[in-house]
Amino acid sequence: MLVVAAVCPCPPLLVPEVAAGAAAEMDVARAACTDAVGVLAAARPDRLVVVGPAEQSGRASYPEGTRGSFRGFGVDVDVRLGRAQHAGAEVPAPAASERSLAPSLAVAAWLLQRTGWSGAPIEGLGVGEPLAAERCIQVGRDIAAGPERVALLVMGDASACRTLKAPGYLDERAGPFDAEVARALGAADVAALKALDTELASELKASGRAPWQILAGAAEGTDLAGALLYEDAPYGVGYMVATWS
């Protein structure tokens, strides 16, 4: 069952080496993400599932120990999802031909390393943007099924169309869309997340839509309370941090 969740944005700019001279602009967002991961740790879950957007159309699993990198963004920073070994069982490092972490999950791995996560075993799940709402919700249900105390770290950005200089240019629908997402995340409103317009989310380049709907499926039947820790669009992209506990 789902006992706690944290929602964080996934721009590589969260990593100071990637942001370089603009690193200070993300300080408040980083601090909020640190607080959110702290809420996960405090719940002492049996298992942590990290969910984030990925390029593939379906789903891809990433076992604990999977490596990721920000070398594609011009910096020599490598990360690992959790530990290379857990409970005495060695997890082999992925071979060169094996899948490396999707960028969103690499950001999550960096956050977990930064906060010194040493609790429950971790697994990663990358979801493609086109994954239908019904499938996302069912994935969430499957994650939370069973007696294990499950935590979710949900990565994803809101619209990328908040300003003229945003990656998706200015779209007048972006502000209201992001405001509703922020309200739903802050209120732990499962129904509202399930009802997000998938077509609109795609048009607004909101990478978090599928991960948020996985959260909604996992949180069905729980009485988790939400808290919105951060909401802003420093680069015309909506970034939100929230906790459900």
Side-chain angles (χ1 to χ4, degrees), residues 69-131:
S69 173
F70 295 97
R71 295 174 189 268
F73 299 94
V75 297
D76 187 14
V77 176
D78 297 317
V79 292
R80 186 198 299 272
L81 187 65
R83 290 171 280 185
Q85 62 178 34
H86 198 282
E90 182 71 20
V91 178
S97 61
E98 291 183 347
R99 179 190 301 118
S100 60
L101 291 172
S104 66
L105 299 182
V107 173
W110 177 83
L111 285 172
L112 291 166
Q113 288 182 189
R114 181 173 187 259
T115 54
W117 181 271
S118 60
I122 304 171
E123 59 190 78
L125 177 64
V127 291
E129 178 189 337
L131 196 65

Side-chain angles (χ1 to χ4, degrees), residues 53-74:
E55 292 182 0
Q56 74 281 350
S57 59
R59 294 173 287 162
S61 297
Y62 300 84
E64 183 163 29
T66 303
R67 298 180 184 273
S69 173
F70 295 97
R71 295 174 189 268
F73 299 94

Side-chain angles (χ1 to χ4, degrees), residues 28-210:
V28 177
R30 285 188 202 99
C33 290
T34 297
D35 290 344
V37 173
V39 171
L40 295 180
R44 302 179 68 85
D46 299 321
R47 178 167 60 111
L48 172 62
V49 181
V50 182
V51 181
E55 292 182 0
Q56 74 281 350
S57 59
R59 294 173 287 162
S61 297
Y62 300 84
E64 183 163 29
T66 303
R67 298 180 184 273
S69 173
F70 295 97
R71 295 174 189 268
F73 299 94
V75 297
D76 187 14
V77 176
D78 297 317
V79 292
R80 186 198 299 272
L81 187 65
R83 290 171 280 185
Q85 62 178 34
H86 198 282
E90 182 71 20
V91 178
S97 61
E98 291 183 347
R99 179 190 301 118
S100 60
L101 291 172
S104 66
L105 299 182
V107 173
W110 177 83
L111 285 172
L112 291 166
Q113 288 182 189
R114 181 173 187 259
T115 54
W117 181 271
S118 60
I122 304 171
E123 59 190 78
L125 177 64
V127 291
E129 178 189 337
L131 196 65
E134 295 78 9
R135 289 189 62 195
C136 293
I137 292 165
Q138 186 58 52
V139 169
R141 291 170 179 154
D142 293 343
I143 289 172
E148 270 189 319
R149 301 176 73 257
V150 177
L152 277 179
L153 175 53
V154 182
M155 309 298 292
D157 301 336
S159 74
C161 304
R162 292 273 290 270
T163 66
L164 292 172
K165 293 184 178 180
Y169 196 65
L170 177 65
D171 190 314
E172 63 184 11
R173 301 172 297 174
F177 176 88
D178 286 1
E180 171 58 12
V181 171
R183 185 206 65 77
L185 291 176
D189 189 335
V190 169
L193 292 181
K194 286 182 179 180
L196 287 175
D197 186 327
T198 57
E199 183 174 347
L200 176 60
S202 178
E203 292 173 0
L204 295 177
K205 304 183 185 302
S207 68
R209 190 275 306 171

